Amino acid sequence: MLALRLTRAARLAVQLRRLLVAVASAGTGFLLLCALGHALTHPEAPGASALRLAWCIAPLAATVYLAVAVARTDPGTRPRPGLSAIGLGPGRLMAVSATTTALSAALGSVAALLVFLQLRGDLTGAPADGAVTEALALGQRLPAPAVVTLLTLVPAAASAAVALNLRPRAPRPAASAGSRRYGRFGAYGWGAARETFGTYGRYGARLAPASSASASASASASASASASASASASAQLADGRAAGAAPVGGGGTLLTQASDTPPPATADGTPATPDAVPDPTAAPRPHTTTLPWGIAVLTAGLAVETYAGDTATPSTTPSAAVLAGWALTALGLALAGPGLTHLCGRLLQAVRPGALRLLAGRVLMEESHRIGRPLGVVCSVASAAYAAAALYDADGPDFGPLSTLGALVVAGCAVATLLTAAVEAKHDRTDTTDALLRLGAPPATLRAAAAVRAGALLALFGPLTLIVAQLASLPLAR
């Protein structure tokens, strides 16, 4: 009930995005029902029917990807302060978002069933004629379990993907910059700074408090015990300096050796130890770590497509090997998209950048994790469209209405996902844009920065799309 109320109270833009999910679900459900109809019409060719069903994975994945992007931008299911007090915590909001996605996809599946029955003539008594009639199983009874299974596949997959992506995650404990992290033997963690051999035992190298237990104990002791502890500490300090042992501070605190040069003090006045200083080169790079994996998967996909082109004949439809090659290519470009976008932002700031290039490059670097993967998916779809145009030429098989519907569903979902990610990124940097406007930045500069970002992405991903499309179409066009 709460999901229905949030659906009705949403804004027009949110309703349009949910309508796009319903339309994509309807197209995918219709393709699944057509695969079932082809299997009923041609029981002697189970391999061809299984291949048609396997090719429905592409629009199914595109629909699920669009549903996840739409759920992420839904403002009604975002956590807000005070909602946990009324039982709407992150887990409950995740369930509401998954339910809303399932309702939108189920609406599309019902529409697909109605259109399929209308074309079969079960509703009006006049079946349709044309090239799609062989996939309608005219004059045959549809198995109800198979129809229900195929129609619930899209809502179940979409809601499960939304629940997986929006699940509440526990925050990772941040490492304390001022805490002591020992290295080498007798320690419980690795130090941030590398040490050479023999540094630990070198005389006069560690001047950091090793423990605060003795200080708290001396603070709670009596006045006479404090005086005797100070006297014993002075004696230990004198003996230690004479014998070459580690010095002892006030209150009996042991001072261990840190370095030959005393480290600078931190903001709170405590001396910073070498192990506590963060290494800037060890910072994680989440935007570029998947770039090598993406290149490797892309190369594997092109190799599979080359093998499939060598074994295929011009008179047959694309085989499962072609589907696997295109899937690997799309996965590789999606993995490499954030890294390429981050690299594009860095290149914009190279060679003495001005304010415009610096602003455009910084925004691209910050948004690389958000728009990089949709850009990679759009690039893979464009390259697959070029390869399909080379495959379905005058000497190849006909590009039928079902193939056209599948291509439209995949391309539409990819473009809609990219636009949705762009809108989400724009909303997330609203505070930054307002701050720039308050500082006196003209709106024309912000629009020019957006144009520079779009041009840089087009200059990088455009040739990449052409290169991948040419490499993918060469083995298929032979």
Side-chain angles (χ1 to χ4, degrees), residues 13-14 24 30-31 48 60 109 121 131 160 220 262 286 353 359 369 383 403 412 421 431 447:
V14 179
F30 184 79
L31 291 175
L60 175 62
S109 298
S220 61
L359 178 61
H369 68 287
S383 61
S403 302
D431 297 338
R447 291 192 294 267

Side-chain angles (χ1 to χ4, degrees), residues 291-305 325-326 328-336 340 379-380 383 464 467-468 471:
L291 182 58
W293 294 100
I295 295 175
V297 175
L298 174 62
T299 306
L302 293 176
V304 172
E305 290 182 16
W326 282 358
L328 289 176
T329 302
L331 180 60
L333 288 174
L335 291 176
L340 293 176
C379 180
S380 64
S383 61
L464 177 64
I467 292 174
V468 173
L471 292 176

Side-chain angles (χ1 to χ4, degrees), residues 69-290:
V70 170
R72 288 174 58 90
T73 57
D74 192 354
T77 57
R78 291 183 179 179
R80 296 183 181 89
L83 290 182
S84 299
I86 60 174
L88 292 178
R92 181 72 179 275
L93 290 178
M94 178 267 296
V96 170
S97 182
T99 305
T100 305
T101 303
L103 290 176
S104 301
L107 178 63
S109 298
V110 172
L113 178 61
L114 293 178
V115 172
F116 188 77
L117 295 178
Q118 174 70 23
L119 294 178
R120 278 173 48 91
D122 295 340
L123 300 180
T124 59
D129 53 352
V132 78
T133 53
E134 65 174 4
L136 298 177
L138 298 177
Q140 299 188 22
R141 183 180 180 85
L142 293 176
V147 172
V148 173
T149 301
L150 293 177
L151 290 180
T152 56
L153 184 60
V154 179
S159 60
V162 169
L164 182 63
N165 282 269
L166 300 183
R167 69 187 186 277
R169 297 177 176 86
R172 296 181 178 180
S176 177
S179 60
R180 175 68 181 173
R181 293 192 297 173
Y182 292 95
R184 296 294 187 271
F185 63 94
Y188 54 85
W190 289 97
R194 301 289 296 176
E195 296 177 346
T196 57
F197 179 79
T199 304
Y200 187 87
R202 190 177 303 161
Y203 171 72
R206 296 187 179 271
L207 295 173
S211 175
S212 60
S214 59
S216 60
S218 62
S220 61
S222 60
S224 59
S226 300
S228 61
S230 301
S232 62
S234 301
Q236 291 177 5
L237 178 61
D239 297 338
R241 287 180 178 176
V248 180
T253 303
L254 178 64
L255 298 180
T256 58
Q257 189 171 344
S259 61
D260 295 335
T261 303
T266 57
D268 55 356
T270 59
T273 60
D275 293 339
V277 178
D279 188 7
T281 60
R285 298 179 180 178
H287 311 310
T288 57
T289 51
T290 58

Side-chain angles (χ1 to χ4, degrees), residues 22-98:
V23 171
S25 176
T28 305
F30 184 79
L31 291 175
L32 291 172
L33 292 178
C34 288
L36 175 62
H38 185 274
L40 294 176
T41 307
H42 304 278
E44 72 282 354
S49 302
L51 184 60
R52 283 175 174 262
L53 185 62
W55 272 99
C56 294
I57 297 178
L60 175 62
T63 303
V64 171
Y65 194 50
L66 175 61
V68 172
V70 170
R72 288 174 58 90
T73 57
D74 192 354
T77 57
R78 291 183 179 179
R80 296 183 181 89
L83 290 182
S84 299
I86 60 174
L88 292 178
R92 181 72 179 275
L93 290 178
M94 178 267 296
V96 170
S97 182

Side-chain angles (χ1 to χ4, degrees), residues 1-9 88 92 95-96 99-100 103:
M1 186 60 66
L2 180 59
L4 290 176
R5 290 183 178 180
L6 291 177
T7 302
R8 292 179 55 188
L88 292 178
R92 181 72 179 275
V96 170
T99 305
T100 305
L103 290 176

Side-chain angles (χ1 to χ4, degrees), residues 24 110 143 157 311 329 358 385 395:
V110 172
T311 58
T329 302
L358 187 63
D395 299 332

Side-chain angles (χ1 to χ4, degrees), residues 422-452:
V423 170
E424 182 185 7
K426 181 180 178 180
H427 289 168
D428 287 345
R429 66 172 184 269
T430 302
D431 297 338
T432 304
T433 304
D434 295 341
L436 290 175
L437 292 176
R438 286 194 304 268
L439 290 175
T445 303
L446 301 181
R447 291 192 294 267
V452 169

